[in-house]
Every structure is written in structure tokens, then in C-alpha cells.
Amino acid sequence: MDIFAVNTKPYSDQSFGTSGLRRKTEVFAQENYLENIVQSIFNSLEGFEGQTLVIGGDGRYRNDKAIQTIIKMAVANQFGHIIVGQNGLLSTPAASHIIEATKAFGGILLTASHNPGGKNGDFGIKYNIATGAPAPESLTNRFVENMHKIDHYWMIHAPDIDLSKVREQILGSTIIEIIDPVADYSRYMQQIFDFEAIRQLFQSGFKMTFDAMNAVTGPYAQYIFEELLGAPKGSVIRGTPLPDFGGMHPEPNLNYAKELVDLAYGKNAPDLCAASDGDGDRYMILGKSFFVNPADSLAVLAENMESIPFYKGRFYGVARSMPTGGAVDLVCQKLKKNCYQTPTGWKFFGSLLENQKISLCGEESFGAGSFHVMEKDGLWAILFWLNILAITRKTPEQLVKNIWTRYGRIYNLTVNYNTDSAVKAKHLMDSLSSKLVSVPNQTINEMTVSKACFFDYTDPVSKTLFTNQGILINFGPSDQAMIRLSGTVSSGATIKVYLHHKDQRTNLSSDTALEPLFNALQNLMNIPKYLGKNVQITKT
Ligand code: G1P
Ligand code: ZN
């Protein structure tokens, strides 16, 4: 077989972090843009010749094309065995498990997570190592070094591989194995959860609607919920992965999963509504007319951890990201489990999971996970909920309110300020930071700042210090705000403001409970001054 080198030039805009590289689809359409990234990844790895590479994606526009390119480059670079999901599909958690379970060298995942897809949407690529975890920074830094000096990549001449059938074929001296993307993952879920108990729940007439948002989890959900667990056909909606996600923004929250939310709040609401994101690592839970905030969800999962067979005797502790409301801290205090507060980003959870400091982790951004795979996992979280509902026969609302009445309620809100100017956003953050020193004891809209600081974090395992992971502002013991810049936008910038208010009253609306804090922050940040009028504000 003819392996040849193709000359290329570096793209100066290429960067790569633990969540990979995300850019507009059209950026990826440039000549050799993807090839440069893939070859730079390979150039950074050692000893992969003859080993296994897993390849899959969330099915977004360009997924198919990119996979063909990557297969051919992997063959040219001498991988011995390539495992690809049928039709190019693999959810992020499923890919993570396959990498680990097949003892692969690593995996390339094509996803921009919950970002919109299609011609005008986003595309993305990430690399996961042999444990199934996203590549650590020490490795992604090498990727970037190589991207900035690349001058050729390796390729083969070969027709495109038919990815529509589960089968094996040989290309040169590489085995290409096309697998059913759902099989391994669904087997694994059956080892974790009590499927018999959940089956009985559905047999008792329990109704669920799962919205796959036209993204990758559709086939997983149809097989697991409808085939294996006996949920009625039609329980899964928007279950066919589409290249543009049907025009949807595949991010499960109250804004973007609007139809599902309307169903949950409607007359004939199912007992449980759930959704997952583009690549399947996020989830949302709603009961009848009841939204489960991700922070409360984490608390419910923690409280019921040991009733899940897989975790019995293996509940080491919990971590939440700092922007996530602290309901789980209260549960952990009661259960006498450690509860860590980490900066945003999966890598902080990964370190704790791998070293048995924690068994459960979660974020306000609708992600949660455990040591079962080294990624967050949306369907796993939904199965966790189903297992709890099957055991307790309580409603989601009862489970959450039970926590509120015992410990008090922490109201949460995330406000996102999206601007097309990264420079202006950085300026705002800098000026806020410098204001920090003068902020203590300031009174803004009748709220007095009791403490303002940068959030610094020392990893309990490696003892590495991570400074300035966001700005924390406390207004007395019951109100806290955190402000940080998003690290995952594909263009422009997003400033995220996370608001938490603790209250013994559990029946306020979130808006009412958080209004004073929201107003104080608006005043402090002076958005119009720094970002101008062209700011898009979303609340989640
Ligand atoms: C966002 C979320 C964060 C999550 C990350 C990857 O990052 O806020 O919780 O880990 O996506 O899914 P951000 O854009 O805020 O940097
Ligand atoms: Zn995702």
C-alpha cells in the first residue's frame, strides 16, 4: 500500500486543551486544517505503532468526512487496529469506555459537545488517553507545539471505508473494525444499575420521555430505555442523530430543550423527562412540573449512592465544581463523606476519581460522572435517577424537596454574557480583578461584600496549585457569586456569573430568591460599560 507524505503549513490559530479544539465548521473546512491536528497528535505520541486507536463522533456535519481522513492517516501512521463506531458514531462516555475496555492506545473523538452543529455551526476534535480520560495538559501542550511547526503529514491512497455495516476489514496491515456503538456501553450499564428494578418500574406504568435532541444518544436511549428496560415505544424523542441536530442547540437546559420542558410542565406530563447533549456527556432531569437543578440532582445521587449495587462499599466521596450550588456538601456532611470543591473542568474530577478520593462528581452545567468512565456521562446519570426512582418509588420532586426541607435550599442561577469581543471580555475581568482589593466591605444595592478573592485550588493528589480559577465574592454567609471566563466557546467570549443563595424558605421562585444578588452583580460588573450594547444574555 502506498503511504506518502503531504506537505503542509501550520495554522497559527490552532490550540488544543483537555476538551480538545472547537472551531466553526468552516474553519475545519480549510485545506489540511484537520490533517495538521491529527498528524500533530500522532507526532506527540510514542509507541502507538501496531496498537489500537478508537475513532468516533457525535454525528455532526463533517463527522463522516473527518473520520475517513483520520482512518487513512492512522493507517499511514502504522496503527495496527482501528475501532470505529458504526456510521461514525460514538458518544463521548461510550468511546471512553471502549478505549479502556479494549486496552486501546487512545481515541480520537469528533465533537463540539453541546455546541450547535451544521454548516454554520461548530466542529471539534479531542483526544483521549488509554484510561479513557481526556488528554492531560502535558500532552495537549505537545500537540500544540507540533501543530505550530508541522510541515507534512502521512496519508494513504484508498477508497472511503463503508462505515454502515458492523464488520472487520484489513487496509494495508491495519485491521479496521466497525462496531455497534451501543453494545459495549449498554452491557456496561447493566453491570452498574439494577435493570430488573427499573424494568418493574416501567411495568408499573411509569412514563418517561427522553429527548436525544437529534444527537448521538438517540440510538443508545432507544436500545436501553425502550428495548432493554421496556419503556413504551416513543419514549425516546428526536432519537435520530442529524448532522445539524435538526437546527437545535443540543444543550439540555431550560432554554434549549424548550419543547421537553413544556411537556414536563404540561397537562399530561410524564413521570420523568430527561435529555442529553450533542455527545452524550450531559443530562437534564425534570419531574412533573418540576425542574431538577443539577446541583440538587448531584445531592440526590450522593444520598442514594450506596443503594446502587456497583457503588456499595465504594463510595469514597464527592466533588462539585465551585460554580455548582453546594446542596451536595450538606448531604456529604450528614453521610460523613469528603466533598471537594474543584475549579471548572473535568481534569480536576479526573485526578480525584483516579485516586479514589471520590466516586461521584458533578457540575452546574448539567454534567455528572463517577469512576465508571473517565468522562462525564449523561445517560448514566439518567439511569442512576431511574434506579433511585425504582427503589424509592418517590417522584423527582419528592426526592429533591426532601433534601431542601432537611438542609435548607440553595437557589442557583448561571448568567452567561456572550460578546463577540474576547478583548473586551478580558478587559472586564481584569478591571473586576483589580477592583477586588477595594471591594471588601463595599455595600452594593444594600448587600455588603464580606469577602472577595480569586479561587485558587490545590489538587489534593498532585499538590499542584491552580491559581485564579475565577473570582469569588461572598455577601455574608448566604449569598455567593462566582465569575469566570468560559473556556469552551469557538469564537468571541462568554463571561459566566454563577449565583447562589441559601434560604430556609424552599418555595420561592429562583428569580425572586436571587434577584438581590443578581442586581448587586449587575451593578458591580457594569456590563454595558465594558461590553457595550451588543451582549447576548442567557440564564441557565
Ligand atoms: C463548560 C462548562 C463546564 C464543562 C465544560 C465542558 O465550560 O461550564 O462545566 O466542564 O463546558 O463540558 P466553560 O465553557 O464554562 O469553560
Ligand atoms: Zn458534551
Side-chain angles (χ1 to χ4, degrees):
M1 198 193 38
D2 181 22
I3 300 176
F4 58 94
V6 181
N7 290 333
T8 183
K9 283 202 198 100
Y11 280 95
S12 58
D13 75 316
Q14 290 190 339
S15 57
F16 208 101
T18 52
S19 51
L21 165 66
R22 291 181 200 168
R23 291 284 183 272
K24 289 277 165 221
T25 306
E26 67 203 24
V27 172
F28 270 92
Q30 297 172 92
E31 196 182 5
N32 298 339
Y33 196 87
L34 176 75
E35 288 82 345
N36 281 9
I37 299 168
V38 174
Q39 188 63 53
S40 301
I41 292 175
F42 295 158
N43 290 348
S44 311
L45 306 174
E46 274 164 31
F48 60 79
E49 293 80 2
Q51 304 284 315
T52 303
L53 180 73
V54 174
I55 308 174
D58 60 14
R60 67 181 63 225
Y61 187 79
R62 288 196 84 78
N63 192 57
D64 43 0
K65 237 179 148 171
I67 287 188
Q68 295 294 344
T69 303
I70 298 170
I71 292 175
K72 289 174 198 172
M73 288 183 67
V75 172
N77 279 275
Q78 314 282 298
F79 272 94
H81 185 178
I82 298 172
I83 297 177
V84 194
Q86 188 182 11
N87 295 318
L89 298 178
L90 279 179
S91 79
T92 293
S96 175
H97 187 248
I98 288 168
I99 294 168
E100 197 262 338
T102 60
K103 301 198 168 30
F105 191 89
I108 293 184
L109 311 188
L110 298 161
T111 173
S113 188
H114 50 283
N115 294 14
K119 259 191 185 150
N120 301 316
D122 289 351
F123 193 75
I125 177 168
K126 64 185 262 187
Y127 181 78
N128 285 32
I129 57 174
T131 59
E137 256 154 21
S138 53
L139 188 54
T140 58
N141 289 342
R142 286 218 294 276
F143 296 172
V144 178
E145 270 171 41
N146 283 318
M147 282 172 203
H148 292 161
K149 64 179 189 212
I150 190 160
D151 58 11
H152 69 278
Y153 62 87
W154 295 101
M155 204 16 134
I156 56 165
H157 282 302
D160 282 357
I161 310 283
D162 177 6
L163 298 178
S164 68
K165 288 184 199 67
V166 172
R167 64 187 181 128
E168 257 184 46
Q169 71 183 83
I170 293 188
L171 194 56
S173 49
T174 307
I175 300 169
I176 305 199
E177 184 184 355
I178 297 161
I179 59 161
D180 173 355
V182 174
D184 164 80
Y185 181 81
S186 57
R187 263 196 309 272
Y188 193 32
M189 289 300 117
Q190 292 176 75
Q191 290 168 22
I192 298 176
F193 298 109
D194 184 347
F195 269 47
E196 189 44 44
I198 306 174
R199 233 174 265 135
Q200 282 171 20
L201 178 71
F202 281 115
Q203 263 164 24
S204 74
F206 180 90
K207 294 270 180 314
M208 161 186 193
T209 297
F210 172 79
D211 188 346
M213 305 187 87
N214 302 314
V216 78
T217 54
Y220 293 84
Q222 273 156 353
Y223 184 64
I224 294 174
F225 298 139
E226 296 181 1
E227 303 286 325
L228 294 178
L229 292 170
K233 287 258 172 309
S235 298
V236 174
I237 59 170
R238 285 181 274 273
T240 306
L242 301 175
D244 66 347
F245 306 119
M248 278 183 100
H249 188 141
E251 179 168 4
N253 63 33
L254 295 177
N255 300 324
Y256 298 125
K258 178 129 192 351
E259 242 178 74
L260 183 77
V261 174
D262 289 347
L263 179 72
Y265 281 84
K267 249 216 218 120
N268 299 314
D271 301 291
L272 180 73
C273 283
S276 191
D277 76 326
D279 65 329
D281 63 350
R282 295 185 178 198
Y283 74 108
M284 176 170 68
I285 297 286
L286 298 129
K288 284 183 196 255
S289 301
F290 188 82
F291 166 61
V292 181
N293 182 282
D296 292 326
S297 175
L298 189 64
V300 171
L301 300 186
E303 190 155 69
N304 292 280
M305 194 88 192
E306 297 238 45
S307 61
I308 305 296
F310 190 75
Y311 299 107
K312 218 176 187 81
R314 299 205 284 170
F315 184 12
Y316 313 124
V318 183
R320 65 167 165 97
S321 66
M322 195 65 194
T324 308
V328 73
D329 303 26
L330 309 171
V331 172
C332 284
Q333 260 166 35
K334 176 80 195 305
L335 297 177
K336 302 199 166 47
K337 300 285 176 191
N338 280 332
C339 185
Y340 299 87
Q341 282 114 51
T342 64
T344 295
W346 191 88
K347 68 176 180 193
F348 300 104
F349 293 151
S351 161
L352 298 169
L353 287 169
E354 280 170 0
N355 292 283
Q356 300 199 342
K357 298 275 185 207
I358 60 166
S359 310
L360 176 71
C361 51
E363 308 185 274
E364 50 64 53
S365 53
F366 298 80
S370 86
F371 54 71
H372 74 290
V373 291
M374 291 294 113
E375 282 278 3
K376 294 171 290 184
D377 190 345
L379 284 176
W380 164 88
I382 295 163
L383 284 165
F384 200 147
W385 264 93
L386 280 170
N387 204 150
I388 295 170
L389 297 172
I391 297 170
T392 62
R393 297 290 166 132
K394 295 208 166 92
T395 65
E397 179 171 357
Q398 286 167 335
L399 288 164
V400 172
K401 286 196 167 162
N402 188 280
I403 287 180
W404 292 348
T405 44
R406 274 180 297 150
Y407 306 114
R409 178 173 175 190
I410 298 174
Y411 293 85
N412 310 283
L413 181 69
T414 303
V415 190
N416 307 289
Y417 298 91
N418 307 307
T419 158
D420 49 16
S421 167
V423 176
K424 284 183 185 165
K426 176 150 190 315
H427 184 105
L428 193 159
M429 290 301 285
D430 289 345
S431 88
L432 252 184
S433 305
S434 58
K435 249 196 229 164
L436 260 181
V437 228
S438 56
V439 160
N441 304 322
Q442 259 190 51
T443 298
I444 310 158
N445 292 14
E446 295 175 9
M447 295 194 71
T448 304
V449 176
S450 50
K451 188 179 174 202
C453 61
F454 289 116
F455 175 46
D456 296 338
Y457 175 76
T458 304
D459 185 291
V461 181
S462 67
K463 308 291 178 214
T464 314
L465 173 66
F466 297 87
T467 57
N468 195 0
Q469 299 294 306
I471 299 171
L472 269 179
I473 306 175
N474 288 337
F475 299 83
S478 302
D479 290 273
Q480 185 181 63
M482 181 163 188
I483 309 166
R484 57 178 285 279
L485 268 176
S486 159
T488 62
V489 291
S490 64
S491 60
T494 298
I495 293 174
K496 296 192 170 185
V497 181
Y498 309 92
L499 306 174
H500 307 298
H501 169 73
K502 187 165 184 213
D503 211 302
Q504 286 310 316
R505 293 166 299 174
T506 62
N507 58 353
L508 302 175
S509 79
S510 278
D511 280 349
T512 311
L514 290 157
E515 200 184 341
L517 186 56
F518 176 71
N519 289 340
L521 260 291
Q522 288 272 79
N523 203 327
L524 183 70
M525 292 173 66
N526 201 345
I527 296 287
K529 174 177 162 200
Y530 289 96
L531 304 186
K533 287 215 176 76
N534 216 351
V535 189
Q536 195 202 347
I537 304 178
T538 55
K539 294 182 180 179
T540 50

